[in-house]
Amino acid sequence: MSTSESNYSIKYFLLLMQSVLNYTPAPKAEGKVNWQFLYEFSIKHSLSVMFYYAIEKLNEEDKPQGEFMPYLKQMHQEQIVADLNLTFECERMTALLSERGIRCLPVKGIVTKADYPVAYLRTMTDVDVLCDAENRLEVEKIFLQNGYEKESVTNKDTAYRKEEILHFEMHTSLLSSESPAFDYFSKVWDRVSYKENSSIAQMSLEDIYIFMLEHLANHVLYGGAGIRMYMDVYVFLQKHQSELDKEYINKILKDISLLSFEKQTHRICENWFSGKEEPDVTSADYWFIINSTTFGRAKMSFLSD
């Protein structure tokens, strides 16, 4: 495949993503598209379900007929089931924790997916939840009593799995102590709100956004970040920008040295997802993201948020 064909195929992929994110008609390709390449590319960036959703928006004569289409369709169907199961299980397990008086804060994908045009399009393979460190053993007891097996343990989280698709990462800290934002997010409990009559917490919109940027910056610094991590920022801002306390956000981003990173991230999101300009797929910053897996280095690509 030539460089020009590759570049146009990636541009067209981004145009398809735009059509989903912005509720616009899927565009007809104006150049040669390598659909097999885009099928593999969409998997690499954890966007295969959205890719299939976008393809289904095309006129029938413009849809690809490649051998990969049944696999894409199957991924799409399986993701609907997986999303329903993970969402239900998150609600069930956090309710159990709350009943035991354990405060819990769902974060990352389980929160972000609510901002997408259709929630299941924001795929995830696990649920991330923050609990207090002093409740770690009680949390473990609850998960083991509910059929989960303990998969792994680090100094700030424990992973649990049940069956094939139910996977939780229970955190006692959102960030490593090396992060410039560690002190800020170590006090996150002081700023959360709670669901009525429960210990299930939710971050402020400002903290969701600041954490999203810090998490993205951390991936960029230590291995890279793919298209979907930038897409998360775009859909969040599309839905919540007018509600944010920008003065407060600027202060915190300045304190944790992320103001310039925010501007760079906005530039990339605007170019790729807004539909207001031709997507850039050749400049260094953009090419770095395009050549990443979802979360950066290939050896990290099995991780999920």
Side-chain angles (χ1 to χ4, degrees), residues 232-278:
D232 284 350
V233 176
Y234 178 78
V235 297
F236 176 84
L237 289 175
Q238 284 291 99
K239 188 169 183 179
H240 301 293
Q241 190 160 25
S242 63
E243 306 169 64
L244 298 174
D245 183 339
K246 190 57 181 172
E247 184 176 343
Y248 175 81
I249 289 171
N250 285 343
K251 178 185 180 302
I252 302 303
L253 293 181
K254 183 178 180 180
D255 290 344
I256 61 177
S257 304
L258 284 182
L259 268 178
S260 61
F261 180 77
E262 181 197 30
K263 291 177 182 177
Q264 179 195 48
T265 300
H266 283 190
R267 172 171 54 83
I268 292 167
C269 290
E270 182 76 6
N271 178 264
W272 274 358
F273 307 126
S274 72
K276 298 175 182 177
E277 53 191 282
E278 182 180 0

Side-chain angles (χ1 to χ4, degrees), residues 17-234:
M17 298 299 101
Q18 288 176 14
S19 76
V20 177
L21 298 176
N22 300 317
Y23 305 90
T24 56
K28 179 182 175 68
E30 297 178 357
K32 185 175 181 182
V33 175
N34 188 317
W35 289 102
Q36 179 65 35
F37 166 76
L38 289 188
Y39 164 66
E40 296 167 4
F41 183 79
S42 71
I43 293 173
K44 178 181 173 183
H45 286 273
S46 298
L47 289 168
S48 56
V49 174
M50 189 178 290
F51 183 45
Y52 177 81
Y53 188 89
I55 287 173
E56 285 299 293
K57 293 176 64 181
L58 289 167
N59 294 327
E60 203 62 37
E61 64 271 17
D62 298 325
K63 294 179 182 179
Q65 303 299 318
E67 294 180 357
F68 60 84
M69 282 301 293
Y71 297 103
L72 266 184
K73 183 176 183 179
Q74 182 178 350
M75 289 178 193
H76 181 264
Q77 293 170 336
E78 289 176 350
Q79 175 55 28
I80 294 173
V81 175
D83 182 78
L84 286 171
N85 277 276
L86 278 171
T87 301
F88 172 81
E89 191 69 355
C90 178
E91 293 174 355
R92 188 178 79 88
M93 293 306 296
T94 53
L96 287 175
L97 294 171
S98 178
E99 288 169 9
R100 302 281 185 93
I102 298 172
R103 59 183 182 178
C104 48
L105 174 66
V107 295
K108 299 184 183 178
I110 193 68
V111 176
T112 304
K113 73 187 191 75
D115 294 328
Y116 276 72
V118 183
Y120 73 79
L121 295 178
R122 203 302 188 173
T123 60
M124 56 181 188
T125 56
D126 65 11
V127 175
D128 293 270
V129 180
L130 177 70
C131 290
D132 292 301
E134 57 265 31
N135 289 321
R136 191 167 191 166
L137 291 180
E138 183 65 18
V139 169
E140 178 176 310
K141 181 180 177 182
I142 292 169
F143 271 86
L144 296 180
Q145 287 175 341
N146 280 271
Y148 283 83
E149 296 181 357
K150 187 163 60 174
E151 276 198 316
S152 63
V153 180
T154 73
N155 63 344
K156 69 183 189 73
D157 61 62
T158 304
Y160 300 95
R161 182 179 292 278
K162 182 169 71 172
E163 300 168 354
E164 186 63 29
I165 60 175
L166 301 179
H167 183 202
F168 279 74
E169 287 190 4
M170 302 302 295
H171 300 261
T172 55
S173 175
L174 289 176
L175 303 171
S176 70
S177 57
E178 290 80 22
S179 169
F182 176 78
D183 287 340
Y184 179 75
F185 279 104
S186 67
K187 300 179 180 68
V188 69
W189 292 111
D190 297 339
R191 301 184 299 273
V192 300
S193 58
Y194 292 90
K195 292 185 178 179
E196 188 175 1
N197 300 320
S198 84
S199 298
I200 303 170
Q202 55 192 26
M203 283 187 191
S204 67
L205 289 175
E206 288 77 16
D207 273 2
I208 291 173
Y209 178 63
I210 294 165
F211 181 64
M212 190 181 296
L213 285 176
E214 194 286 334
H215 186 60
L216 173 58
N218 188 65
H219 273 278
V220 171
L221 182 62
Y222 293 106
I227 294 170
R228 196 187 70 183
M229 294 191 78
Y230 287 85
M231 189 181 289
D232 284 350
V233 176
Y234 178 78

